[in-house]
Amino acid sequence: MNQVVEAAHAKINLTLNVIRRREDGYHEVEMVMQSLELADIVRLRQVESGIRLKTSSAQIPAGKDNLAWRAAQLMFGRFECTGGLEIQLEKRIPVAAGLAGGSTDAAAVMRGINRLWGLQQSTEALCELGARLGSDVPFCVRGGTALARGRGELLTGLPDCPPLWLVLVKPPLGVSTAEVYGNLRLDRIGERPDNEKMIEALAEKRPGSIAAALGNVLEEVTVQMVPQVQGIKQELLRAGAVNAMMSGSGPTVFAIAEDENHARTLAKVFEHKEYTVIVTRTINQNSDMHAAHGTTDE
Ligand code: ATP
């Protein structure tokens, strides 16, 4: 085996609460994260030496600043990996969108190197190492449905989310997560999500209760920076979405639909606008996450 293909799944936040600002400058969060079927395709090939990266997107760095490249460097520094690696990224996840595009590519590279070199590292070990690259990397290594605490790296598995069809709508501009957190005023947070309620809704597998328990304290911050977020949300609700909310630090808004047809109907509302519109669905950790994996021998 000298090549592997990893699906690097996007995530949404079903909830996002910020508790406080820590002494180290990070924010302490409590959020329910959910993997989506939408994924970048990450192809890894063992080569003689060095780390090389090719990407299908001009919007992300092609070299050492790419999180996928940094993930490879981290793994090579930590484990005995002979030779080098070529990484090919086929980007399908919108960039700087609140969907963890960079983190999930990094996680896929870590999983892929683990397989290619037969390192036999556990998911937990990869999560712990991945936290050095970014707070969302551990969740992306693991996937599925999980409660994330600390700065996002402390994960507790939650009951699988029942299958939900979603529409993602992203306005043209991206936002920087750091800037959104920088603009957050903890004393001005209005309504906070109730994570207990969300966890209960997940355990009961009730889409309606999951939709009702959505909540993200960063939404009102990002709306100040990208007012279209508010407009998109209202338009989705007006068009009949079960509920709609911004994911992560945004600016992507996701809507929960009744079923696939309903999701496609909602997506049509934005057909002639300058937005990126994607119909996708939630996936579970074990049954669906590894479906796109492939290995090839040369
Ligand atoms: P999160 O939801 O974790 O906050 P995001 O979806 O908002 O992440 P990303 O798509 O990860 O944001 O992009 C954030 C920044 O990371 C961009 O400015 C981008 O240039 C940079 N970046 C580095 N490597 C990658 C990558 N492999 N894919 C996407 N962005 C990357």
Side-chain angles (χ1 to χ4, degrees):
M1 177 170 79
N2 76 353
Q3 298 193 45
V4 290
V5 184
E6 287 277 336
H9 293 278
K11 64 86 185 155
I12 50 169
N13 296 77
L14 295 177
T15 64
L16 195 164
N17 194 12
V18 182
I19 314 294
R20 67 181 179 104
R21 191 159 192 268
R22 311 191 325 182
E23 294 69 38
D24 61 8
Y26 286 105
H27 285 85
E28 188 177 323
V29 294
E30 259 182 29
M31 48 197 192
V32 175
M33 319 270 278
Q34 174 60 49
S35 294
L36 302 183
E37 189 173 54
L38 170 69
D40 290 342
I41 305 299
V42 181
R43 295 187 173 83
L44 303 178
R45 190 164 70 91
Q46 288 177 316
V47 294
E48 230 158 72
S49 64
I51 301 169
R52 287 181 236 149
L53 186 137
K54 295 180 188 167
T55 160
S56 63
S57 166
Q59 284 177 279
I60 60 169
K64 297 185 178 184
D65 289 333
N66 196 296
L67 268 175
W69 199 98
R70 288 177 47 210
Q73 190 189 35
L74 182 66
M75 291 292 282
F76 277 39
R78 180 67 172 262
F79 304 109
E80 290 281 323
C81 302
T82 47
L85 181 72
E86 184 186 83
I87 306 165
Q88 275 187 46
L89 296 182
E90 194 179 315
K91 286 299 291 182
R92 294 179 180 174
I93 304 171
V95 174
L99 300 170
S103 306
T104 196
D105 290 349
V109 166
M110 294 182 75
R111 287 194 308 261
I113 291 176
N114 194 33
R115 292 164 70 209
L116 266 179
W117 273 272
L119 302 176
Q120 298 189 322
Q121 293 299 307
S122 64
T123 299
E124 290 70 29
L126 294 182
C127 284
E128 204 181 315
L129 190 59
R132 294 192 198 174
L133 295 168
S135 307
D136 283 347
V137 176
F139 173 75
C140 293
V141 168
R142 179 194 186 282
T145 310
L147 178 69
R149 283 181 290 209
R151 57 182 176 89
E153 86 287 17
L154 304 175
L155 301 176
T156 311
L158 292 176
D160 283 343
C161 185
L164 299 177
W165 279 95
L166 307 168
V167 186
L168 312 181
V169 184
K170 183 194 164 286
L173 279 183
V175 292
S176 129
T177 303
E179 208 180 321
V180 173
Y181 273 99
N183 289 339
L184 173 69
R185 290 281 309 267
L186 284 164
D187 54 340
R188 295 227 183 117
I189 291 177
E191 213 180 321
R192 290 174 180 274
D194 183 342
N195 279 317
E196 289 309 313
K197 217 183 220 173
M198 178 58 80
I199 293 167
E200 225 175 271
L202 287 166
E204 288 168 0
K205 309 237 172 290
R206 284 214 200 122
S209 311
I210 294 169
L214 297 178
N216 179 352
V217 300
L218 297 181
E219 193 177 85
E220 54 195 20
V221 181
T222 305
V223 163
Q224 300 301 317
M225 300 159 67
V226 187
Q228 286 147 308
V229 167
Q230 185 71 17
I232 291 170
K233 186 173 164 174
Q234 280 165 356
E235 212 160 335
L236 283 164
L237 291 172
R238 220 180 300 128
V242 182
N243 201 357
M245 191 182 76
M246 188 183 81
S247 177
S249 53
T252 302
V253 177
F254 66 93
I256 298 183
E258 302 280 0
D259 53 30
E260 182 177 3
N261 277 341
H262 185 214
R264 298 203 183 278
T265 308
L266 289 173
K268 283 206 180 103
V269 173
F270 297 92
E271 221 166 36
H272 303 295
K273 302 215 164 115
E274 254 191 325
Y275 301 146
T276 306
V277 184
I278 296 169
V279 172
T280 185
R281 60 181 166 171
T282 58
I283 57 165
N284 297 334
Q285 189 187 13
N286 294 319
S287 53
D288 311 313
M289 287 288 297
H290 304 293
H293 284 188
T295 53
T296 350
D297 289 305
E298 249 183 18

